[in-house]
Amino acid sequence: MNAIVPRATIEDIVRYRNEAVNLYEIAYGKIEEAAEAIKAAQEMAKRAHPGVNNYNYAQAKEIEAFHNAVKLPKRESYLRTARRLIDIDAWAWIIQRTDLERLMDKQEKDKLRAQMAYIPERYDYHTGALLNLAEFEGENAKVMPPLTVENIYATIERFMADAGLIFRRGVANVFSKLDRRFRSHDGFKIGSRLILTRAFNSWGALDYGAIRDTLIDIERVFSVMDGHSEAGFTSALNAVDVDRRGHHGPRQSEVETEYFKIRGFKNGNAHMWFQRDDLVEKVNKLLAEYYGEVIGDGMQAEEDPFASIKHTPAKRYGFYPTPDDAARRLFEFVQVTRRADEPRLRILEPSAGTGNLARGCISSLKNFSNHCGYGRPEDMERWRREYRFDNQVDCVEIQPHLAAELEQEGIFGRVFCQDFLQLQPATTGLYDKVVMNPPFDRERDIDHVMHALKFLKDDGYLVAIMSAGTEFRETKKTVAFRALMEKMNAAWHDLPAGSFSDVGTNVNTVILRVRKDGARLSRYW
């Protein structure tokens, strides 16, 4: 840590900061004195012209400056603003000194800059009370912490501890922007070439915006992997711009830099070849580390692509609890309330875990009113008459302690503590809906979805969170699964990148929706 920012330097920064705050306190006292002096002068002037105000000179700029020479703010607001401005600039200097920005892609930099942005104070119009103090002070503050020696060390240590992950995530983000197939490592390893679509505009120049950011990010990755410490990553960008300068209209071109050969075509696309195989190997290793063990093993099935089922439980049972945001997105596609004259819904959650999805399948008046956005007493009474809120939600969970916890909640119909792939519909009966978040690794999600289809009634509906690689892998099982889903009129929906990062895996995910009878889907089932 001392090599990054010496402790003496940190202590100097904090001392200068504290002394500056003290000087602003002194300055406020002098402003206060000046305001009182001006007020006394104004009172004396009124005695010279009692009751008379001449507006003929109101537009003169020097008079406006005269009246606005001193404006006394509230003391606490003035000093709070002083502290925040000093802290923002000092934090910016510290971040630059650590050179951490060199490891960050645009997304991570934008996140950091937002954290160091100045948040304006908002006051109640009627009372004058400060409304958003919690945004920049306290445990829930949205900004960098106050500048103290302890906070500086803690923040730098946190950044340094996360530096590897930040860089790996940046590498994944760089290449996932180029093609949807590259969203999942099990469907993507960079090879010797990338295709950059719509790189050049109709004038033949390198387009502005995303393509330039992409070139800078790719060069940043290769430069850092090569051990360079320079902050500029624009040699490829500059080489293309120089080569295209003075020419107008579509044309073919080619440039070479230390890391790349870039060939532009008349159709506006560009092909980028990597000059260093050793760096390509390093990048692919980082991608594997970032996406973790949830990587397709490339095994090919026998005659029947669905016959090879992995019955051995995954490591840690492939257990990654469904994050709240992912669950909310999934329930945008699931209707869990029926009208009073319809039979009760039977719903199955085959990989229940801690019950995040199963719990969302419990239909209640409260959840229904929240979905509708209002709940006046007369509405609530009408809904009680018109809808039923008695879904039977059954759970399957292989881990005994989690199954026991689900049982203890007392809100589910039945809880089966066993491997879902060993359970049969003859034991459970058939269901109207299956809602699931199965294990992702080694195509287990396909095995679980295929098995879950057996538990549906003929017009039943399944919605599942799956690995994004299911859309792109070229193994026999995945290709056959996609073909089956296309035949059944299934729908796919992307979840945001990193949706499961907070629960332990960086694998990208999608939502699959399908009806057993293959009927076309509306938005909501």
Side-chain angles (χ1 to χ4, degrees):
M1 182 64 66
N2 220 34
I4 298 169
V5 182
R7 185 175 183 87
T9 301
I10 291 178
E11 291 175 349
D12 283 344
I13 292 171
V14 174
R15 187 177 72 255
Y16 296 150
R17 180 260 192 194
N18 292 339
E19 288 178 2
V21 171
N22 289 335
L23 288 172
Y24 276 114
E25 289 185 8
I26 295 171
Y28 184 85
K30 295 183 181 300
I31 296 171
E32 199 170 27
E33 290 177 11
E36 288 297 325
I38 289 175
K39 184 178 179 181
Q42 289 171 342
E43 291 298 326
M44 186 60 68
K46 288 179 182 178
R47 297 182 183 183
H49 49 80
V52 176
N53 288 298
N54 189 338
Y55 296 99
N56 292 332
Y57 52 67
Q59 300 302 316
K61 290 184 179 179
E62 62 269 25
I63 295 175
E64 182 181 355
F66 172 79
H67 286 304
N68 294 329
V70 175
K71 289 288 186 181
L72 185 64
K74 291 183 178 179
R75 186 177 190 278
E76 62 272 19
S77 176
Y78 177 85
L79 295 179
R80 183 168 53 244
T81 301
R83 289 192 299 270
R84 292 168 60 203
L85 290 174
I86 297 168
D87 287 358
I88 287 171
D89 290 339
W91 275 119
W93 185 90
I94 291 168
I95 295 298
Q96 290 173 6
R97 175 62 187 257
T98 61
D99 204 25
L100 282 172
E101 282 194 300
R102 188 173 64 93
L103 302 179
M104 300 180 187
D105 68 339
K106 182 179 183 296
Q107 175 182 326
E108 191 64 30
K109 287 178 182 176
D110 288 345
K111 178 181 175 182
L112 178 62
R113 287 165 185 157
Q115 198 175 3
M116 291 195 296
Y118 184 87
I119 299 176
E121 296 179 350
R122 293 185 287 106
Y123 292 89
D124 185 274
Y125 178 79
H126 299 289
T127 66
L130 180 62
L131 298 175
N132 64 331
L133 179 62
E135 289 188 84
F136 41 82
E137 288 185 15
E139 294 182 359
N140 299 318
K142 297 181 179 179
V143 298
M144 300 293 281
L147 210 69
T148 66
V149 173
E150 293 74 19
N151 283 344
I152 293 173
Y153 263 84
T155 300
I156 294 176
E157 285 173 354
R158 176 171 58 83
F159 273 127
M160 294 308 296
D162 293 343
L165 174 61
I166 289 171
F167 183 63
R168 288 194 295 273
R169 183 172 59 218
V171 173
N173 285 342
V174 167
F175 294 105
S176 68
K177 288 186 296 187
L178 299 177
D179 190 307
R180 287 189 72 252
R181 289 174 300 168
F182 303 166
R183 293 179 64 250
S184 173
H185 176 62
D186 58 7
F188 170 63
K189 272 175 43 173
I190 66 169
S192 60
R193 181 185 68 165
L194 288 178
I195 298 175
L196 307 175
T197 58
R198 296 185 294 277
F200 302 103
N201 58 31
S202 58
W203 293 93
L206 189 66
D207 212 353
Y208 282 90
I211 187 63
R212 291 177 176 268
D213 291 338
T214 298
L215 278 176
I216 291 172
D217 269 350
I218 293 174
E219 186 165 356
R220 175 184 58 83
V221 168
F222 277 75
S223 182
V224 173
M225 296 300 296
D226 202 21
H228 291 182
S229 59
E230 294 82 5
F233 310 112
T234 58
S235 63
L237 192 68
N238 293 338
V240 174
D241 279 339
V242 169
D243 180 69
R244 292 259 165 171
R245 191 174 297 157
H247 300 276
H248 300 286
R251 60 182 288 263
Q252 210 162 307
S253 64
E254 185 174 305
V255 299
E256 288 195 37
T257 68
E258 181 180 4
Y259 301 123
F260 314 117
K261 178 170 73 174
I262 303 172
R263 183 177 297 164
F265 294 91
K266 291 183 178 180
N267 63 3
N269 293 342
H271 291 196
M272 172 184 280
W273 284 267
F274 302 128
Q275 308 272 52
R276 296 273 300 275
D277 292 341
D278 59 324
L279 296 182
V280 170
E281 184 178 347
K282 287 182 179 180
V283 169
N284 282 328
K285 183 178 179 181
L286 276 185
L287 287 168
E289 290 174 359
Y290 177 74
Y291 286 112
E293 65 196 44
V294 189
I295 298 173
D297 58 3
M299 295 178 62
Q300 303 294 311
E302 305 279 332
E303 296 285 331
D304 179 359
F306 301 119
S308 176
I309 299 175
K310 297 171 180 65
H311 288 287
T312 304
K315 185 177 179 181
R316 296 193 302 273
Y317 299 97
F319 174 56
Y320 297 106
T322 310
D324 291 343
D325 286 345
R328 276 193 292 272
R329 180 68 191 277
L330 179 141
F331 280 107
E332 291 178 8
F333 304 109
V334 185
Q335 173 61 268
V336 295
T337 304
R338 275 190 167 176
R339 293 195 171 273
D341 58 350
E342 297 178 322
R344 73 187 298 202
L345 274 174
R346 298 189 76 241
I347 303 175
L348 176 67
E349 214 290 53
S351 308
T354 56
N356 291 6
L357 290 182
R359 215 169 285 112
C361 293
I362 300 293
S363 181
S364 70
L365 186 59
K366 178 181 177 182
N367 289 343
F368 187 70
S369 64
N370 289 341
H371 172 73
C372 292
Y374 55 86
R376 297 172 300 179
E378 56 268 32
D379 294 324
M380 303 285 272
E381 186 58 38
R382 176 170 56 83
W383 292 335
R384 283 192 187 92
R385 295 193 307 270
E386 295 182 358
Y387 296 94
R388 61 187 310 156
F389 303 97
D390 59 347
N391 296 346
Q392 177 184 328
V393 180
D394 293 345
C395 301
V396 184
E397 174 50 46
I398 191 172
Q399 300 186 72
H401 69 288
L402 293 179
E405 290 173 3
L406 294 170
E407 190 80 59
Q408 289 169 9
E409 287 192 49
I411 61 175
F412 303 113
R414 293 173 294 176
V415 177
F416 300 92
C417 182
Q418 67 180 96
D419 181 356
F420 173 60
L421 295 179
Q422 303 297 331
L423 187 66
Q424 296 301 323
T427 302
T428 64
L430 297 179
Y431 293 88
D432 299 288
K433 300 185 181 187
V434 173
V435 178
M436 60 193 303
N437 170 25
F440 298 144
D441 70 309
R442 301 176 63 207
E443 298 178 322
R444 292 179 198 272
D445 47 358
I446 294 178
D447 295 339
H448 280 244
V449 168
M450 291 296 297
H451 191 59
L453 289 171
K454 302 173 186 176
F455 289 76
L456 285 174
K457 297 177 181 178
D458 289 342
D459 61 348
Y461 171 69
L462 178 146
V463 58
I465 296 175
M466 304 184 74
S467 162
T470 310
E471 277 197 277
F472 313 120
R473 289 191 207 107
E474 293 301 323
T475 64
K476 287 183 179 179
K477 180 183 287 189
T478 304
V479 170
F481 181 74
R482 284 200 301 271
L484 175 63
M485 291 300 102
E486 183 176 0
K487 183 178 179 181
M488 296 176 69
N489 293 306
W492 302 85
H493 307 272
D494 288 346
L495 283 169
S499 287
F500 278 71
S501 295
D502 289 344
V503 295
T505 177
N506 293 310
V507 67
N508 287 316
T509 48
V510 295
I511 292 174
L512 169 74
R513 301 191 297 134
V514 65
R515 276 181 50 135
K516 189 171 183 177
D517 59 10
R520 292 194 178 275
L521 297 168
S522 66
R523 167 78 180 183
Y524 210 51
W525 283 88

